[in-house]
């Protein structure tokens, strides 16, 4: 068994029971193991000690110095018209695709070959396509190969997309909902977008055209579902008796405090004219106050317009009983 002694030992063959002093090289032969080794100098493999940041990597027949792979490799393309395929190297399952700064979901492209990305939809041409390939070797705890998630913040996206100063130029955004405050402008809207907003304060409103949706009924009972955006107009044809207006859907929460409500009934009269004399708001009966306290007289064989305004004299919108209904008729249109 080999014996190690202190002092200058230039050369020693472990596994051989003899040794000589004053040697400078330690040769390990046979099968040996070490523990608690303290190195006071450099470590080399082959003829090199590597460079700063490298590690020893097994190559099957030995070890060599190697550099850690980069966590993320960016590949930027400018799409051509109708282009869907982009050649890029990546690890399958560790790739993100952005078009004009907007991240695509995994269902919007195919990335299973490791050599190309194929979009489900063709590009128009000129879009900036960013393909981020992540290495499966992680330098942080927990392993994994990517830092991108579905909940990635807008600041993360800004760092990846087509940006300028504090803005971001994007293509088509599809979302089920937006959370938070939206600022800026909405120029260039086309098609038939449905936009639901709360209270809008403007300094100058210029409308090219306005139209309101109406409800047509035949008979004496008119039912309206109140719309805070307008369109509370009913057309009553062929009434055979006094007209009753039932309005439902009037908000009763605090957001509707101190509000007025408006609705209209257009009566197409026959040989006998009938007035709108009964109004129910969310099922609560309200008396109509006509000028002079007299129910307006309808005309025969004509069109009469009954306009109603509900004023909240209490302030609280918690119940429709707080509204007083003022009525006015413009009639005898023939």
């Amino acid at each position: 068994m080999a014996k190690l002694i202190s002092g200058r030992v230039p050369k020693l063959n472990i596994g051989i029971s003899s040794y000589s002093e004053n040697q400078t090289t330690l040769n390990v032969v046979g099968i040996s193991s070490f523990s608690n080794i303290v190195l006071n100098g450099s470590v080399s493999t082959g003829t090199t000690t590597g460079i700063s940041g490298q590690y020893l990597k097994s190559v099957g027949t030995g070890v060599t110095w190697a550099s850690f792979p980069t966590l993320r490799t960016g590949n930027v393309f400018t799409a051509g018209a109708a282009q869907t395929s982009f050649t890029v190297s990546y690890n399958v399952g560790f790739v993100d695709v952005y078009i004009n700064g907007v991240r695509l979901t995994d269902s919007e492209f195919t990335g299973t070959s490791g050599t190309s990305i194929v979009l489900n939809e063709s590009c128009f041409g000129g879009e900036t396509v960013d393909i981020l390939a992540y290495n499966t070797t992680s330098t942080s705890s927990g392993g994994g190969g990517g830092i991108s998630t579905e909940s990635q913040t807008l600041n993360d996206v800004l760092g990846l997309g087509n940006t300028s100063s504090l803005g971001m130029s994007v293509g088509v955004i599809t979302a089920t909902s937006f959370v938070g405050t939206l600022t800026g402008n909405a120029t260039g809207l086309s098609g038939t977008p449905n936009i639901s907003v709360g209270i809008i304060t403007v300094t100058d409103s210029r409308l090219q055209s306005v139209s309101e949706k109406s409800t047509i009924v035949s008979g004496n009972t008119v039912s309206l579902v109140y719309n805070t955006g307008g369109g509370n107009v009913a057309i009553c044809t062929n009434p055979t008796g006094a007209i009753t207006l039932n309005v439902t859907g009037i908000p009763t929460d605090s957001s509707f405090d101190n509000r007025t409500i408006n609705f209209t009934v257009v009566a197409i009269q026959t040989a006998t004219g009938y007035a709108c004399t009964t109004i129910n708001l969310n099922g609560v009966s309200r008396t109509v106050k006509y000028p002079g306290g007299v129910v307006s007289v309808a005309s025969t064989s004509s069109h009469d317009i009954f306009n109603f305004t509900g004023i909240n004299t209490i302030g609280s919108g918690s119940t429709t009983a707080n509204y007083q209904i003022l009525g006015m008729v413009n009639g005898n249109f023939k």
Side-chain angles (χ1 to χ4, degrees), residues 81-325:
Q83 183 175 358
T84 59
S85 181
F86 299 85
T87 301
V88 62
S89 296
Y90 59 92
N91 292 308
V92 176
F94 294 90
V95 63
D96 285 327
V97 180
Y98 294 80
I99 296 182
N100 287 341
V102 178
R103 181 179 180 273
L104 302 185
T105 64
D106 292 344
S107 63
E108 294 178 296
F109 67 91
T110 300
T112 56
S113 66
T115 57
S116 66
I117 294 294
V118 180
L119 306 180
N120 293 355
E121 300 291 338
S122 301
C123 294
F124 292 104
E127 297 96 324
T128 298
V129 179
D130 290 300
I131 300 177
L132 304 183
Y134 300 97
N135 200 291
T136 54
T137 300
S138 176
T139 58
S140 61
S141 62
I147 60 173
S148 177
T149 65
E150 290 292 346
S151 60
Q152 193 169 30
T153 66
L154 180 58
N155 286 336
D156 294 330
V157 177
L158 287 173
L160 304 173
N162 177 20
T163 64
S164 59
S165 184
L166 296 178
M168 179 175 66
S169 174
V170 301
V172 178
I173 298 178
T174 302
T176 56
S177 64
F178 288 96
V179 178
T181 303
L182 299 178
T183 60
N185 60 63
T187 59
L189 290 177
S190 60
T192 57
N194 294 320
I195 302 175
S196 178
V197 298
I199 299 174
I200 300 177
T201 302
V202 297
T203 55
D204 185 9
S205 178
R206 303 180 183 184
L207 303 178
Q208 292 182 331
S209 63
V210 176
S211 63
E212 290 194 79
K213 185 177 180 180
S214 60
T215 300
I216 301 177
V217 297
S218 178
N220 307 330
T221 302
V222 177
S223 296
L224 285 178
V225 178
Y226 191 77
N227 185 348
T228 57
N232 300 297
V233 178
I235 300 175
C236 180
T237 64
N238 304 313
T240 58
I243 300 170
T244 297
L245 173 62
N246 296 315
V247 183
T248 59
I250 300 173
T252 54
D253 55 33
S254 59
S255 67
F256 221 63
D257 290 349
N258 300 300
R259 299 291 186 93
T260 60
I261 55 179
N262 297 278
F263 28 85
T264 298
V265 174
V266 178
I268 301 178
Q269 309 284 6
T270 56
T272 302
Y274 296 98
C276 184
T277 58
T278 303
I279 292 182
N280 299 308
L281 305 181
N282 287 0
V284 178
S285 178
R286 308 305 298 146
T287 300
V288 181
K289 299 179 181 293
Y290 281 108
V294 179
V295 176
S296 296
V297 178
S299 303
T300 60
S301 301
S302 65
H303 292 53
D304 294 332
I305 302 175
F306 295 87
N307 293 306
F308 301 100
T309 298
I311 58 173
N312 191 328
T313 57
I314 305 300
S316 172
S318 60
T319 174
T320 55
N322 292 339
Y323 291 98
Q324 293 188 25
I325 306 300

Side-chain angles (χ1 to χ4, degrees), residues 44-82:
S44 64
T45 176
T47 59
T48 177
T49 58
I51 61 175
S52 177
Q54 287 188 317
Y55 67 100
L56 284 175
K57 175 183 178 182
S58 173
V59 293
T61 58
V63 295
T64 186
W65 292 108
S67 298
F68 284 99
T70 56
L71 180 63
R72 184 185 74 181
T73 301
N75 304 271
V76 182
F77 303 88
T78 299

